Amino acid sequence: MATRITYKFKGKANEINFAYDKFHDIYEAVAAAEGVDLTRYLMMAQQIEMTSKGSSAVRDFRNKEFARFGFSDIYYIKDDPKAR
């Protein structure tokens, strides 16, 4: 089953293919598709992960940073092979 991602970048809707063998998560995939450098973001997310007691702090940081980058409405789309 192929997986696709739909997202908006600076208000423009886009759709890309996604595979876990290329990217750690869908956020890295959309950033790569738009040419956004995540070096500083990944370092800060790692620090938050090490110091926080729950995953909500990392998730909140991720959501705010990606909104600041210009991303919104990031979702999986699963293709149904039976719909052919």
Side-chain angles (χ1 to χ4, degrees), residues 19-80:
Y20 278 108
D21 61 342
K22 292 183 181 180
F23 301 103
H24 181 257
D25 60 17
I26 62 175
Y27 295 93
E28 286 184 13
V30 297
E34 297 298 335
V36 176
D37 181 21
L38 294 182
T39 305
R40 295 184 63 159
Y41 160 78
L42 291 172
M43 288 187 320
M44 188 61 147
Q46 185 179 31
Q47 289 177 9
I48 292 171
E49 189 175 329
M50 288 188 308
T51 59
S52 67
K53 294 182 180 179
S55 63
S56 64
V58 176
R59 195 170 38 243
D60 184 51
F61 173 71
R62 181 192 64 215
N63 292 340
K64 287 180 181 179
E65 283 298 295
F66 273 83
R68 188 178 66 80
F69 292 148
F71 291 99
S72 63
D73 302 329
I74 302 172
Y75 300 106
Y76 283 107
I77 301 174
K78 291 188 179 180
D79 295 335
D80 186 8

Side-chain angles (χ1 to χ4, degrees), residues 2-22:
T3 304
R4 297 186 56 77
I5 301 170
T6 182
Y7 65 96
K8 288 183 182 176
F9 182 66
K10 297 185 178 178
K12 183 181 176 217
N14 296 304
E15 192 173 305
I16 60 171
N17 290 324
F18 174 72
Y20 278 108
D21 61 342
K22 292 183 181 180

